[in-house]
Amino acid sequence: MKNLAIVYSIFLLTACSAGHEETAKQQDTSQHRKDSVHTTSALEREVIQDKVLGMLLGSAIGDAMGAPTEMWSRESIRIAYGYVNDLDTMVREPSAEGIWDFNLPAGGTTDDTRWKKLMAEYLLTQNAWSPLNPQDFAQHIISKYEADIKALKNTESFDPEPFEVNARKLAWLQEWAMVAKPFLEDDLQGYAYALSQFYGGEMTCAGMLYSPLIGAFYPASPQMAYEEAYKLSLFDLGYARDISGLTAALVSAAMDEKATPATVMNTVRDIDPQGYFKSRLVGRTAYRMLQEARNIVYQANQLQMKDVDADQLIFPKNETPDTLWLARTQKAYELLDARNQDLPFHAGEIHLVNLTALLFCAFDFEKSLAFVVNFGRDNDTTAAVTGAILGAYYGADQLPSAMVAQVLNTNKTLLDTDLQSLASKLTNRIMSK
């Protein structure tokens, strides 16, 4: 999997960037759209579809790997599962943001994959390589929420379970609909109030749940992907919106056939249409996190075998143990712990863990997801983001076949989510212009 090139190019990442003035930005956007269409026409359809499906599968595999231990502490994961490096059944109760049924089999997913599906359905209503309409997106969410209200009202049963199932579906989007409605109605004060109350006013990873799809919709066009994701990040506060834009840009850059780890990671440095680098006294927080991730990786890799206490490590099942690798992983975890936010689903925390995993694991798909999942916290969402970037980078054909088959089957048969069909439809839309 491009290992030598990956290991080499990881260390070629360099620094610095700047934003654009508004007029220049509009001109750049227009040129980017022209370049994007040209780039896509040069890519064969098979490559685009493989990478779109790879993004969907990579994200779903990460979601499914983290779902059994979502929001768990690292210690709890170790006690119950040891070292997680594969898919497993979900022995947990359903919830609005989690799984929707009791004890899903391996490959089952949570709201991270549901958001990919919802965003895909919205994008299929939009013209390829044209600006996205945030009002249409808000309406799309509201329409889905209203359909869920209707389904709950029309539930007929003596058994409480159908009511509980439909109530979970309603609750999934209730916070989002409360923000989308005043935005759609152009009620500035109502939108400001609702946004400030969204999930308690925390700087959540809201846009990161669906922005990878936007990155795939604009393949090899990271600036355009950023701009469109930024517009649709209606639920993000502060620099979380920049991180959502960058998440789309990272996926878009990974879609390029000529992508390297350096070209993908450098989007955090080079793509800044909103001028976050110019922020007075602060600069760009999302880029500073990339620097922190590099520092964490460097410090963890200074650990030598003579300093390792193997008795303190948890080893993967059915694998030849790499004691030094696991010890360095534990060191990276400890360094990340010092930077944890108050809540695990903080956009900044997820961004930092994602970047650290990509760098520390040198873009290795399975190692990166295992790194994220075993760290704990909001591990299904972080793994879904990491998996989306790496899935777009490698394409579906290079992802672990057993995991791919399990995720495809469980999502299609039990969760009404046909990832292959979505990838095919999205590719048709991307190639339509």
Side-chain angles (χ1 to χ4, degrees):
M1 293 169 94
K2 310 180 184 178
N3 285 337
L4 291 177
I6 288 171
V7 173
Y8 176 70
S9 58
I10 280 289
F11 293 99
L12 297 182
L13 303 177
T14 52
C16 253
S17 175
H20 304 283
E21 298 297 334
E22 186 62 29
T23 302
K25 182 175 72 175
Q26 293 172 355
Q27 294 172 346
D28 287 348
T29 300
S30 175
Q31 185 60 47
H32 271 284
R33 293 201 172 106
K34 293 176 184 176
D35 293 344
S36 299
V37 175
H38 175 74
T39 300
T40 302
S41 65
L43 293 173
E44 293 187 12
R45 177 196 161 80
E46 291 76 11
V47 174
I48 292 289
Q49 181 154 338
D50 183 52
K51 284 179 167 284
V52 171
L53 180 58
M55 185 280 303
L56 285 168
L57 284 170
S59 178
I61 290 171
D63 186 8
M65 279 185 69
T69 60
E70 179 184 6
M71 298 295 181
W72 285 24
S73 68
R74 195 152 61 250
E75 183 179 20
S76 296
I77 294 172
R78 289 174 62 146
I79 292 170
Y81 288 91
Y83 185 88
V84 180
N85 61 347
D86 205 346
L87 302 175
D88 209 330
T89 54
M90 279 148 255
V91 186
R92 54 178 284 190
E93 293 184 358
S95 66
E97 285 79 18
I99 58 173
W100 274 354
D101 202 356
F102 286 89
N103 301 351
L104 282 175
T109 52
T110 72
D111 63 330
D112 292 276
T113 302
R114 289 197 293 274
W115 267 108
K116 306 299 186 302
K117 179 182 178 182
L118 189 67
M119 173 54 77
E121 291 167 346
Y122 161 74
L123 290 174
L124 290 172
T125 69
Q126 303 297 297
N127 294 323
W129 302 108
S130 296
L132 299 177
N133 188 320
Q135 283 73 27
D136 287 350
F137 182 51
Q139 181 62 68
H140 185 72
I141 292 171
I142 291 169
S143 296
K144 178 68 172 67
Y145 179 67
E146 289 174 338
D148 292 337
I149 292 175
K150 186 175 181 180
L152 180 58
K153 287 180 176 179
N154 292 339
T155 305
E156 295 183 4
S157 175
F158 182 78
D159 186 343
E161 186 171 354
F163 293 95
E164 293 169 354
V165 170
N166 286 332
R168 282 194 292 273
K169 294 179 179 180
L170 174 71
W172 170 43
L173 288 178
Q174 67 183 33
E175 294 267 354
W176 307 76
M178 294 303 102
V179 176
K181 188 173 186 292
F183 177 85
L184 183 64
E185 295 171 349
D186 202 23
D187 176 2
L188 180 60
Q189 180 167 290
Y191 172 62
Y193 285 179
L195 181 59
S196 295
Q197 296 166 11
F198 181 75
Y199 284 104
E202 290 290 339
M203 195 178 291
T204 68
C205 58
M208 298 177 79
L209 298 176
Y210 54 78
S211 59
L213 246 296
I214 301 175
F217 198 62
Y218 299 101
S221 308
Q223 173 142 332
M224 188 173 183
Y226 178 103
E227 291 168 347
E228 299 308 314
Y230 193 90
K231 279 197 303 189
L232 266 58
S233 296
L234 313 180
F235 311 94
D236 288 334
L237 292 166
Y239 66 81
R241 195 162 190 166
D242 184 34
I243 289 174
S244 292
L246 284 173
T247 301
L250 285 161
V251 170
S252 178
M255 295 281 288
D256 194 324
E257 279 190 289
K258 298 179 180 179
T260 67
T263 62
V264 174
M265 298 297 283
N266 278 345
T267 59
V268 183
R269 178 195 77 185
D270 298 335
I271 307 299
D272 185 25
Q274 296 296 324
Y276 275 87
F277 275 111
K278 296 180 180 179
S279 299
R280 189 164 182 261
L281 302 179
V282 177
R284 194 180 200 181
T285 302
Y287 179 72
R288 191 162 60 249
M289 289 177 177
L290 175 58
Q291 301 294 66
E292 290 179 8
R294 288 177 177 143
N295 186 52
I296 289 169
V297 172
Y298 173 81
Q299 290 188 56
N301 284 331
Q302 299 310 299
L303 191 68
Q304 299 302 314
M305 196 65 200
K306 61 183 177 61
D307 304 315
V308 174
D309 182 357
D311 292 336
Q312 300 299 313
L313 303 176
I314 297 294
F315 293 94
K317 300 173 184 176
N318 305 319
E319 283 189 14
T320 302
D322 185 340
T323 305
L324 183 58
W325 165 265
L326 291 171
R328 287 175 172 175
T329 299
Q330 182 61 36
K331 178 64 175 178
Y333 287 167
E334 292 168 2
L335 294 167
L336 283 168
D337 285 341
R339 295 162 173 82
N340 283 346
Q341 302 288 337
D342 289 340
L343 290 176
F345 50 87
H346 189 285
E349 177 174 322
I350 290 174
H351 183 60
L352 176 60
V353 176
N354 169 50
L355 295 178
T356 303
L358 292 172
L359 290 169
F360 184 74
C361 302
F363 269 53
D364 182 282
F365 181 82
E366 292 181 77
K367 284 185 176 181
S368 296
L369 292 192
F371 179 97
V372 166
V373 170
N374 288 285
F375 178 67
R377 309 279 288 176
D378 195 0
N379 53 2
D380 67 324
T381 293
T382 312
V385 173
T386 306
I389 295 167
L390 293 175
Y393 184 74
Y394 288 109
D397 286 348
Q398 293 190 56
L399 299 184
S401 58
M403 288 186 176
V404 166
Q406 188 69 51
V407 163
L408 282 174
N409 179 63
T410 302
N411 279 270
K412 185 175 182 179
T413 58
L414 297 180
L415 302 175
D416 191 30
T417 301
D418 189 335
L419 297 173
Q420 289 175 310
S421 177
L422 283 178
S424 180
K425 291 175 182 177
L426 283 167
T427 303
N428 288 339
R429 180 66 63 172
I430 292 167
M431 299 297 292
S432 66
K433 201 168 184 180

